[in-house]
Amino acid sequence: MKHYSLTYFIGQSFKGLWRNGVMSFASITVLMSCLIVLGGFSLLVYNIDVNLEKLGLLNEISVFLELDLEEEEIVSIENQLKSIPDVTKVIRTTNEEGLEQVENSMNLDVSEILDDYNPLSEKFTVYYSDNPQNVSYEINQIEGVRKVYDRLDLAMQLESFKNGIIIVFIWFLAILLIVSLFVIINTIKLAVYSRRHEITVMRYVGATGWFITLPFVFEGIIIGIISSVLGFFIEWYAYTYIEKMVTTQMKMINVIMFDDIKLFVFIGFVGIGILTGIIGSCLSLSKYLKS
Amino acid sequence: MIDFKKVRKAYPNGTVALHDVTLHVDDGEFVFIVGHSGAGKTTLMKLLLREEKASSGRLMVNEFNLSRMSNFKVPYYRRQLGVVFQDFRLFQNKTVYENVAFAMRVIGTSPRMIKKRVPAILNTVNLLDKIHNFPRELSGGEQQRVALARALANNPKIIIADEPTGNIDPKMSLEIMNLLLKINKLGKTVIVVTHEKSLVDYYQQRVVTLKDGEIIEDRVGGMFEE
Ligand SMILES: Nc1ncnc2c1ncn2[C@@H]1O[C@H](COP(=O)(O)OP(=O)(O)O)[C@@H](O)[C@H]1O
Ligand SMILES: [Mg+2]
């Protein structure tokens, strides 16, 4: 495309947006709200995921052994754990390492108090990819295993909570995107209508379908860009506000810093915004693209 | 070269606007198309513009076979034509210059070319002194000259005018007709649809008479019969 044509398209697009100010404003507002809600949900789900992982509740089972086992028995148990289907990784924590961890977390010298006696058992941390109930059951069958700590109930509750949020989120997303599309389609239709005389003349003098439609597609893209950039900054502000509130009042919850995900959120917003704009304008222009 | 061979046009509602029309126009000719209202003159123009497709028969314009042409070629075909309508179809919010420039810009002409060419065309239609005026500041005849300039903007081979003098007073009509003849002398094929008897009789050019969708007369220097 020649640069002077491009300049012409962009100029026409801004003119069109300005001419139908109310509709353009409506489009931008609706699409922006859609993106903010969408972003909010995504960030919520992401935070839940991260917190579940941090708590070690997901895909992880702690296995404590009997106290008086020989090293070779321990190694045998380790091998049995590794051979259970769906187990991906087994990590051993010796009772000495365990004691060290206790000392570090309590910040005192336990071994002195205990007079070198170690009351802790050997521990394995088992990671699995699927079928937690089955994995947990198999572990319980192994001889020498004293206690299996799987926290399955809590993990599953949180999982289903997360899944519930995701379902609500998908519905919201679908509805909001449809509403955004609808508003954009009507904005572009109005823009086409207000330029119908120009379009007639353009067709008679031999302007191509692309030349006629591209300014409108650009209009959709501009709506997408403005909505997503505004939405991004509002999301940023709101998220930081909530993050501060949560981290001061609920210290156990680990909230991701917005800075860490800024780029990702920005690309997501602009990408979805532009895509919605393009799809919306193409849908309202399909008639003109044909001839 | 324009060549209609047994071209028939039936509209979707069943009206047959043209019955097996056969008509040949050579490059550089000047042709009046006359006939009563409803005779099929506008339909003939619309077929030439490829705004409508023939129901049967063959229509060739230069190397383009309009019956077979795919939609995406239509814009390129239309660049060979310049169209003038009874109602001018100018943009009221654009100056004379901008109205003409618009036709060039939308087919991708460079700004440098536009700047050079627009004044030259306006000179051809004797409107150089009104270059920065808006259409509402011009008479009907002047507005039609702007439309003519726009039709000439992309240097078409054929000029098609559907009732170009329908909305302007008789004195101005002569001016427009003289311009169309001048353009014809510059080497362009000119097709003018009209039902103004006095004009047709005055100019003594080839006259094709349509009646109820059929050509009933085709004579050079023909007289318009009521
Ligand atoms: N779009 C259309 N749909 C149906 N009938 C049409 C249409 N356009 C024109 N006609 C009919 O075709 C005939 C020729 O019309 P037209 O070509 O406009 O004649 P003219 O320009 O000579 O007055 C008329 O009977 C008219 O009613
Ligand atoms: Mg007519």
Side-chain angles (χ1 to χ4, degrees):
Chain A
M1 192 189 305
K2 295 164 204 129
H3 66 91
Y4 44 81
S5 293
L6 192 69
T7 322
Y8 167 78
F9 289 144
I10 295 173
Q12 289 299 310
S13 311
F14 275 107
K15 261 189 215 158
L17 283 171
W18 187 250
R19 190 156 26 186
N20 300 311
V22 176
M23 276 305 275
S24 310
F25 180 77
S27 291
I28 290 170
T29 313
V30 172
L31 183 56
M32 186 186 75
S33 316
C34 170
L35 286 167
I36 292 171
V37 173
L38 175 72
F41 268 115
S42 313
L43 292 172
L44 178 62
V45 169
Y46 185 46
N47 270 293
I48 291 175
D49 242 10
V50 169
N51 276 283
L52 289 184
E53 242 162 62
K54 281 256 164 66
L55 287 169
L57 283 170
L58 288 177
N59 300 349
E60 185 183 322
I61 295 175
S62 302
V63 180
F64 297 93
L65 306 188
E66 302 285 359
L67 281 172
D68 47 1
L69 295 178
E70 299 295 328
E71 177 61 23
E72 48 196 82
E73 288 176 290
I74 295 169
V75 172
S76 153
I77 290 170
E78 179 169 9
N79 288 332
Q80 287 177 62
L81 287 172
K82 279 182 181 160
S83 67
I84 296 171
D86 296 320
V87 166
T88 51
K89 199 166 71 172
V90 176
I91 289 175
R92 180 175 171 186
T93 314
T94 63
N95 56 358
E96 280 140 32
E97 286 165 350
L99 197 63
E100 236 169 73
Q101 282 173 12
V102 174
E103 283 180 345
N104 287 340
S105 66
M106 290 168 65
N107 207 3
L108 84 178
D109 194 351
V110 188
S111 49
E112 210 160 76
I113 304 166
L114 293 174
D115 195 15
D116 278 348
Y117 170 71
N118 189 339
L120 299 183
S121 59
E122 295 278 328
K123 176 192 164 196
F124 284 109
T125 308
V126 177
Y127 297 89
Y128 57 88
S129 54
D130 212 351
N131 297 322
Q133 279 105 334
N134 185 50
V135 173
S136 176
Y137 174 81
E138 293 278 346
I139 295 171
N140 272 298
Q141 302 306 302
I142 298 170
E143 205 162 310
V145 169
R146 182 166 58 95
K147 198 171 143 202
V148 177
Y149 195 24
D150 57 18
R151 290 179 283 189
L152 276 184
D153 285 351
L154 186 54
M156 262 144 66
Q157 265 171 25
L158 282 165
E159 265 297 307
S160 65
F161 174 63
K162 195 181 93 184
N163 289 339
I165 288 179
I166 289 176
I167 287 169
V168 173
F169 163 72
I170 287 171
W171 274 106
F172 246 85
L173 174 67
I175 292 167
L176 284 172
L177 280 181
I178 288 168
V179 171
S180 306
L181 265 183
F182 181 78
V183 177
I184 290 179
I185 287 173
N186 280 294
T187 306
I188 303 294
K189 274 199 177 144
L190 193 68
V192 171
Y193 181 78
S194 65
R195 288 186 59 201
R196 63 195 181 285
H197 298 304
E198 263 175 75
I199 292 175
T200 311
V201 172
M202 283 166 99
R203 290 164 71 109
Y204 280 130
V205 299
T208 57
W210 276 111
F211 206 99
I212 295 172
T213 50
L214 231 48
F216 300 109
V217 177
F218 275 40
E219 223 168 288
I221 293 177
I222 293 169
I223 288 174
I225 292 176
I226 296 176
S227 314
S228 54
V229 170
L230 285 177
F232 171 77
F233 283 109
I234 293 173
E235 187 88 55
W236 186 351
Y237 180 81
Y239 186 92
T240 314
Y241 180 81
I242 293 170
E243 180 217 292
K244 277 206 188 94
M245 215 165 67
V246 172
T247 38
T248 49
Q249 296 184 5
M250 294 174 269
K251 291 205 172 61
M252 50 172 292
I253 295 179
N254 199 311
V255 185
I256 304 154
M257 301 290 290
F258 196 79
D259 268 349
D260 297 343
I261 44 171
K262 202 154 73 179
L263 188 68
F264 176 76
V265 174
F266 185 76
I267 292 171
F269 268 46
V270 175
I272 295 174
I274 290 179
L275 207 66
T276 314
I278 292 177
I279 293 172
S281 45
C282 285
L283 284 178
S284 47
L285 290 167
S286 52
K287 183 171 81 183
Y288 289 93
L289 280 170
K290 272 182 216 138
S291 83
Chain B
M1 183 268 301
I2 298 169
D3 196 63
F4 287 76
K5 197 168 261 166
K6 294 198 162 181
V7 171
R8 194 182 119 92
K9 175 62 191 178
Y11 284 107
N13 68 358
T15 311
V16 181
L18 293 176
H19 299 270
D20 298 346
V21 166
T22 298
L23 172 68
H24 184 90
V25 178
D26 273 324
D27 287 346
E29 271 197 80
F30 188 105
V31 183
F32 281 119
I33 310 270
V34 300
H36 295 293
S37 175
K41 306 180 299 290
T42 297
T43 302
L44 201 78
M45 296 291 120
K46 284 184 175 168
L47 289 176
L48 274 178
L49 285 168
R50 188 40 165 71
E51 214 181 308
E52 295 285 352
K53 268 183 168 177
S55 310
S56 67
R58 200 190 64 162
L59 173 52
M60 292 286 294
V61 178
N62 298 332
E63 71 275 23
F64 293 90
N65 184 339
L66 299 208
S67 328
R68 293 227 197 107
M69 187 164 48
S70 65
N71 280 340
F72 90 93
K73 260 193 168 171
V74 171
Y76 303 98
Y77 162 68
R78 285 190 181 145
R79 291 175 195 183
Q80 312 223 342
L81 312 175
V83 208
V84 177
F85 301 96
Q86 183 173 358
D87 56 0
F88 320 139
R89 304 200 184 170
L90 299 176
F91 302 123
Q92 295 302 316
N93 58 345
K94 286 179 162 62
T95 64
V96 168
Y97 177 91
E98 288 164 345
N99 265 284
V100 179
F102 177 84
M104 302 177 75
R105 192 161 50 215
V106 299
I107 65 161
T109 311
S110 74
R112 201 144 57 93
M113 186 66 180
I114 294 174
K115 238 179 233 157
K116 220 173 74 182
R117 204 170 144 71
V118 175
I121 299 166
L122 287 174
N123 191 34
T124 309
V125 299
N126 306 322
L127 264 185
L128 206 48
D129 52 329
K130 299 282 161 83
I131 191 163
H132 294 305
N133 286 79
F134 287 91
R136 68 182 122 75
E137 298 162 348
L138 307 178
S139 72
E142 287 169 329
Q143 289 191 46
Q144 193 58 297
R145 271 145 65 190
V146 179
L148 196 51
R150 182 176 65 190
L152 289 168
N154 296 319
N155 198 18
K157 298 195 174 97
I158 301 167
I159 295 286
I160 295 173
D162 192 357
E163 312 263 5
T165 57
N167 277 358
I168 44 191
D169 58 74
K171 212 180 89 207
M172 294 291 190
S173 296
L174 276 177
E175 210 179 273
I176 294 291
M177 280 303 169
N178 285 336
L179 261 176
L180 284 166
L181 270 167
K182 174 177 163 189
I183 289 160
N184 174 245
K185 294 277 169 341
L186 294 173
K188 298 190 191 301
T189 308
V190 176
I191 311 255
V192 180
V193 166
T194 185
H195 53 240
E196 280 179 68
K197 181 179 161 30
S198 55
L199 278 179
V200 175
D201 291 345
Y202 178 77
Y203 282 100
Q204 293 291 306
Q205 297 286 334
R206 180 178 172 188
V207 181
V208 173
T209 311
L210 274 176
K211 192 183 177 200
D212 299 333
E214 285 177 86
I215 294 179
I216 54 163
E217 198 179 10
D218 183 352
R219 288 202 298 188
V220 178
M223 296 287 280
F224 190 171
E225 288 164 37
E226 284 290 350

